[in-house]
Amino acid sequence: MFIKVLLTVIFLCVTVAVGIYSRKQANSVEGFVLGGRNVGGWLTAFAYGTSYFSAVVFVGYAGQFGWKYGLSASWIGIGNAIIGSLLAWILLGKRTRLMTQFIQSRTMPDFFGTRYGDEGLRIAASIIAFVFLIPYTAGVYMGISKLFEMGFGISYEYCAVIMAVLTAVYVILGGYKATAINDFIQGIIMIFGITTVIAVVLNSQGGLVAATQKMAEIVPNTDDLTQRGSELYANFQAGDFASWFGPNPLSLLGVVVLTSLGTWGLPQMVGKFYSITDESAIKRGTIISTIFAFIVAGGCYFLGSFGRLFVPTAFNAEKGKFVYDNIIPTMLETLPDILIALVILLVLSASMSTLAGLVLTSSSTMTLDLIYRDKKSLEGEVTGGEMDDMVVEKIERRKVVVMRVLIVFFIVISLMIALNPPQFIAQLMGISWGALAGAFLAPFMMGLYWKGVTRLSVWACFVWGVGLTVVNMLIGNPINPIDCGAIAMLGGFIVVVLVSLLTPKMPTQKVEQIFQCYSQNNA
């Protein structure tokens, strides 16, 4: 216990120290939200990766999908690396940086409002982002608290509160730069932690070959076959849990789509491309982020795929349902104390980095896109029509203060949900990602590439993504939230294309002016 407490205290002290170190760079909006748009490739890559993979992945997704799909769950991690990291950086990195700097956009809602010339889109997008980032944040709390209960014997409620307070401290102090530096430190811990834990867990089963053979011998038990979702095993064959594509490849594909393609439309993920310093940093970040995802995401799902060797059943007879969130903690509870300490730091690192990105995104969105308008709209309210430097500086400081207050507000709301969790971690994340990426992915990505996207098509996609996710949830999730999220994302592209072809185009001169950012930089 002494080792676990000591390592955790050192880790938490370092994160707060980084916040204090970075506070001087967080006095302006540009510094607080984007790190002055001067963050290098290494920091941005780790910030992207650590925001991507949290306790939701390690505890919720790895446990649930490892149980359902066996070794084929590893494809989810591979998809995260190739689609969620490599292709995201290649297709979005440079274009996002160039266009957002050209139109002076600081947030994703700001992009929609400026790119499509509609303040209503800015407001709607900021509300969607704020509302649907909350369940994702609640899932992050739940994941880390499960591990703390196992490692320290501390109740779930205390764990969630402690993590919320500490994350708020370093984000409020140092803004995005503190978050990026801490993400780098936390990313190193995650890489070392996941590789070490996998080696020890497999060794406990006699090695990789022996563990794989044991998985091939397992068949679904009666609990699997009697619960909702038993269609997963309807055509099960012996050895499916150790096969390349598992018992249900189509269902597995839906998970890959949601968890990989979804990052392209999440404000806290895309925002990392706003702040990167230059094109060379993007090239470095692409490679680093992809390798990081292969190790961390691939490792998490690979570890979770052996869950059935450690947990006789994930079915809780008293609750009458599966409790997937307990699978990973049960797998790890027999590890030596030093390794449990490492696991706790691994998941704490993943969770705090994700939480920091979420609260920073939410607070900046609400402040810049709802409470305050941009500098241009404020100029008319100042005598003489122009603002002097003192007025601008005063407004900037006021915005930063409001963002810091909203960080506390956002953390409190999400904490309240986490203390009364309505569903599994994975379902919370599925609802959040489905609504956000279903609404934002298509109009954001196509807005970077296609001049023909119309304002009404963006509105239609917002209604499609949020509407499908919410209606599905209200009628009892007849479509699994994971599959529903994947449908929302892919369907958004169809919605944007069809509506754009049928509705009035944006003024040609304005669109051409925006797209000059690429011709000037040969993008």
Side-chain angles (χ1 to χ4, degrees):
M1 181 62 72
F2 174 76
I3 294 174
K4 289 185 284 189
V5 172
L6 177 63
L7 291 178
T8 304
V9 169
I10 292 173
F11 169 82
L12 296 176
C13 288
V14 169
T15 60
V16 174
V18 169
I20 296 173
Y21 168 78
S22 306
R23 70 187 188 280
K24 291 182 180 179
Q25 302 178 48
N27 294 324
S28 67
V29 172
E30 197 86 351
F32 191 82
V33 177
L34 300 174
R37 294 190 190 266
N38 192 33
V39 181
W42 278 90
L43 289 183
T44 303
F46 272 74
Y48 185 92
T50 54
S51 294
Y52 193 165
F53 310 116
S54 68
V56 175
V57 173
F58 187 76
V59 177
Y61 271 20
Q64 176 170 337
F65 300 128
W67 184 271
K68 287 184 175 181
Y69 307 115
L71 295 182
S72 65
S74 301
W75 283 110
I76 305 172
I78 296 172
N80 292 171
I82 296 175
I83 302 173
S85 294
L86 178 62
L87 290 181
W89 278 75
I90 291 174
L91 296 178
L92 299 180
K94 183 179 179 180
R95 282 186 168 253
T96 298
R97 173 181 170 271
L98 291 176
M99 185 174 284
T100 56
Q101 288 191 10
F102 186 78
I103 65 177
Q104 299 181 347
S105 169
R106 292 166 170 171
T107 66
M108 184 177 277
D110 187 23
F111 172 87
F112 289 125
T114 306
R115 165 67 177 84
Y116 299 108
D118 189 339
E119 287 298 305
L121 286 175
R122 183 199 308 268
I123 294 171
S126 62
I127 294 173
I128 292 170
F130 188 82
V131 170
F132 286 97
L133 284 176
I134 291 176
Y136 185 16
T137 309
V140 174
Y141 285 122
M142 292 167 62
I144 182 59
S145 299
K146 295 284 185 181
L147 268 296
F148 260 81
E149 281 184 314
M150 177 200 73
F152 292 99
I154 302 174
S155 69
Y156 167 80
E157 291 79 8
Y158 290 119
C159 297
V161 171
I162 292 170
M163 188 180 75
V165 171
L166 290 170
T167 304
V169 167
Y170 84 75
V171 177
I172 288 172
L173 285 174
Y176 180 75
K177 195 60 176 289
T179 301
I181 295 173
N182 271 324
D183 287 348
F184 181 78
I185 297 170
Q186 292 160 357
I188 297 296
I189 295 173
M190 290 167 67
I191 290 173
F192 179 72
I194 193 65
T195 52
T196 303
V197 170
I198 288 174
V200 173
V201 168
L202 289 179
N203 185 63
S204 71
Q205 295 294 319
L208 176 60
V209 175
T212 303
Q213 290 175 343
K214 292 178 183 178
M215 287 297 297
E217 298 169 359
I218 294 176
V219 296
N221 56 39
T222 55
D223 295 326
D224 289 314
L225 299 173
T226 56
Q227 292 300 303
R228 180 183 173 185
S230 61
E231 66 274 6
L232 179 70
Y233 308 107
N235 299 309
F236 184 86
Q237 301 293 324
D240 275 359
F241 284 128
S243 65
W244 278 97
F245 300 108
N248 194 326
L250 187 60
S251 176
L252 176 63
L253 179 62
V255 179
V256 173
V257 171
L258 176 75
T259 61
S260 302
L261 193 60
T263 60
W264 298 22
L266 297 179
Q268 75 275 17
M269 301 298 297
V270 175
K272 303 297 188 291
F273 300 133
Y274 285 44
S275 59
I276 197 163
T277 179
D278 53 38
E279 187 175 345
S280 62
I282 292 176
K283 292 179 180 177
R284 290 194 302 273
T286 302
I287 298 171
I288 297 164
S289 178
T290 303
I291 295 173
F292 182 90
F294 264 117
I295 296 173
V296 175
C300 284
Y301 288 107
F302 182 68
L303 176 66
S305 66
F306 293 99
R308 287 180 180 265
L309 300 182
F310 294 84
V311 184
T313 177
F315 184 74
N316 187 304
E318 294 182 3
K319 297 182 178 180
K321 63 181 181 180
F322 283 97
V323 184
Y324 297 113
D325 301 343
N326 292 336
I327 294 174
I328 296 294
T330 302
M331 289 177 64
L332 303 176
E333 64 185 2
T334 58
L335 295 178
D337 282 350
I338 186 66
L339 288 181
I340 290 181
L342 182 61
V343 171
I344 290 172
L345 289 185
L346 183 166
V347 181
L348 185 61
S349 297
S351 299
M352 290 185 70
S353 58
T354 302
L355 182 59
L358 291 170
V359 299
L360 188 59
T361 298
S362 298
S363 66
S364 60
T365 293
M366 291 292 288
T367 301
L368 301 178
D369 301 316
L370 279 182
I371 299 176
Y372 287 95
R373 288 169 289 167
D374 60 17
K375 177 180 176 180
K376 293 178 182 177
S377 64
L378 286 171
E379 287 179 355
E381 300 177 6
V382 180
T383 303
E386 295 291 336
M387 292 190 290
D388 59 31
D389 292 340
M390 291 185 62
V391 174
V392 173
E393 184 179 350
K394 182 178 179 181
I395 293 174
E396 290 283 289
R397 288 200 303 267
R398 191 184 306 162
K399 289 179 181 178
V400 173
V401 170
V402 172
M403 279 189 278
R404 286 172 166 150
V405 171
L406 285 175
I407 285 173
V408 176
F409 175 71
F410 182 82
I411 284 180
V412 169
I413 292 178
S414 56
L415 182 60
M416 291 172 63
I417 295 176
L419 295 177
N420 297 280
Q423 302 186 61
F424 297 134
I425 294 175
Q427 289 178 317
L428 286 174
M429 184 174 173
I431 293 169
S432 174
W433 280 41
L436 288 168
F440 294 160
L441 171 56
F444 181 83
M445 181 176 178
M446 297 183 74
L448 297 175
Y449 282 89
W450 185 28
K451 298 177 183 179
V453 180
T454 66
R455 178 179 60 84
L456 290 178
S457 73
V458 181
W459 278 110
C461 198
F462 284 6
V463 173
W464 159 260
V466 174
L468 178 64
T469 306
V470 171
V471 170
N472 185 61
M473 178 180 64
L474 292 178
I475 61 177
N477 293 316
I479 306 174
N480 182 287
I482 308 299
D483 297 333
C484 183
I487 294 170
M489 291 177 206
L490 296 176
F493 288 95
I494 300 174
V495 170
V496 170
V497 171
L498 290 179
V499 178
S500 292
L501 294 175
L502 299 173
T503 54
K505 307 300 180 186
M506 291 183 60
T508 302
Q509 183 178 357
K510 179 178 180 179
V511 175
E512 292 294 338
Q513 182 181 9
I514 292 174
F515 274 77
Q516 284 180 5
C517 64
Y518 298 147
S519 59
Q520 293 172 0
N521 291 272
N522 298 317

